[in-house]
Amino acid sequence: MYYFIVNIDRMQVQKYLNSIYISGGSETAISFIKLSHSLLSEKGMLGFIIPKSFSYASNYKAIREFVFDDITQIIDCKKVWKEVKLEQVILHFIKNNQLESYKSGILEDEQIKIIGEIDKNTFHEFGFFLNGISGQELKIAKKMILCQKVLNDIAVNSRGGIFQKFITKDQSDFKVLGGAEIQRYGIVGLKGYIRKEIVEKDDKSRIKDNSVLVQNIVAHIEKPIDHIKITSYCT
């Protein structure tokens, strides 16, 4: 197996490859995958570090289908390089391989760790290539699909009021909760207080019975780590 690091004039190479492989397209990774596939001998192996959006984005749909049978591994690398804003995956395939599953892995402390074996039929179930998940996590996802119900079928989703400038520390008509006060095992403290006439302008902000309070979920692009979780509390 050989490894190469090549410095290229990206725009010129992209223009040339796109004219041959994806006329009118803009993704260099797609052209290189197709070019490499055509140069491989039978059962030849190849791997690329490419944008994670290969797994799910609509502009990669055709190339996902093109290498579907040949894929052997997809490794979720998160964000590898500081100067590259997008997250990456390592795509590994063997030409004319015809495997029914692929290995799911993650990059952890500069080591590749295989955490699951994913049946390729999941591609048709979910509409994209699952990666960075274990077999146990896949079982949970399949149970969720079998349920055939989503939260929107049984609940109304609304955002709390934006009253930051009206909140005071002085005791007033209503108590105010912010995201930091909503924890998995209960409410921790108060953000402050607010007057009744301010809240009445936005009734959606008032907490009703049988509600689930959820913090905003934010992805940290600069340092993506497995810390994102749903933090909520039932009233």
Side-chain angles (χ1 to χ4, degrees):
M1 184 179 294
Y2 297 93
Y3 298 88
F4 299 94
I5 297 176
V6 183
N7 293 315
I8 61 174
D9 184 328
R10 184 178 183 276
M11 296 305 295
Q12 289 300 318
V13 172
Q14 180 172 299
K15 184 177 179 181
Y16 170 73
L17 291 174
N18 287 354
S19 68
I20 300 174
Y21 293 104
I22 50 171
S23 180
S26 60
E27 298 293 343
T28 308
I30 297 174
S31 292
F32 268 106
I33 290 171
K34 283 198 171 184
L35 171 63
S36 301
H37 192 276
S38 68
L39 295 175
L40 282 175
S41 59
E42 190 76 7
K43 304 301 180 183
M45 298 183 294
L46 192 135
F48 274 117
I49 301 175
I50 58 176
K52 189 174 181 177
S53 49
F54 162 83
S55 304
Y56 56 83
S58 58
N59 55 319
Y60 284 97
K61 181 177 184 294
I63 194 64
R64 283 196 298 267
E65 295 173 350
F66 180 77
V67 296
F68 179 87
D69 290 328
D70 297 347
I71 291 177
T72 59
Q73 289 185 13
I74 301 179
I75 310 299
D76 188 345
C77 300
K78 307 298 182 184
K79 188 172 183 292
V80 179
W81 298 287
K82 290 182 179 179
E83 63 273 17
V84 180
K85 292 183 178 180
L86 299 176
E87 296 183 28
Q88 293 84 37
V89 295
I90 298 175
L91 171 69
H92 184 270
F93 61 87
I94 299 176
K95 187 173 182 177
N96 297 331
N97 194 42
Q98 301 291 321
L99 282 180
E100 296 181 353
S101 64
Y102 61 92
K103 295 185 184 301
S104 167
I106 57 175
L107 184 64
E108 190 175 85
D109 298 327
E110 299 184 0
Q111 297 292 323
I112 291 176
K113 180 181 179 182
I114 302 300
I115 59 175
E117 187 87 17
I118 307 296
D119 190 315
K120 288 184 180 178
N121 285 325
T122 57
F123 174 81
H124 304 295
E125 291 180 60
F126 293 90
F128 58 92
F129 280 119
L130 301 173
N131 60 82
I133 68 169
S134 65
Q136 186 62 34
E137 290 169 324
L138 178 56
K139 287 181 181 179
I140 294 172
K142 287 191 172 186
K143 283 185 178 181
M144 293 172 69
I145 288 180
L146 288 174
C147 181
Q148 296 185 338
K149 275 190 178 295
V150 296
L151 188 59
N152 195 49
D153 294 331
I154 59 174
V156 176
N157 182 26
S158 62
R159 182 178 179 179
I162 305 175
F163 300 132
Q164 184 63 40
K165 62 181 179 180
F166 301 109
I167 298 172
T168 67
K169 296 299 181 182
D170 300 326
Q171 191 165 343
S172 188
D173 300 313
F174 291 109
K175 298 174 181 178
V176 179
L177 296 178
E181 287 74 48
I182 300 170
Q183 298 295 323
R184 286 185 164 189
Y185 306 108
I187 301 301
V188 180
L190 291 174
K191 190 175 184 68
Y193 297 86
I194 195 168
R195 299 194 313 276
K196 181 179 180 180
E197 58 266 27
I198 300 298
V199 177
E200 286 179 340
K201 297 176 182 178
D202 185 0
D203 186 60
K204 292 185 295 182
S205 64
R206 298 181 64 176
I207 299 172
K208 299 176 175 60
D209 292 336
N210 196 31
S211 296
V212 178
L213 311 181
V214 184
Q215 285 189 19
N216 283 341
I217 301 174
V218 179
H220 291 263
I221 297 300
E222 289 301 317
K223 294 182 179 179
I225 56 176
D226 294 330
H227 72 290
I228 299 171
K229 61 183 179 183
I230 297 175
T231 302
S232 63
Y233 175 72
C234 298
T235 63

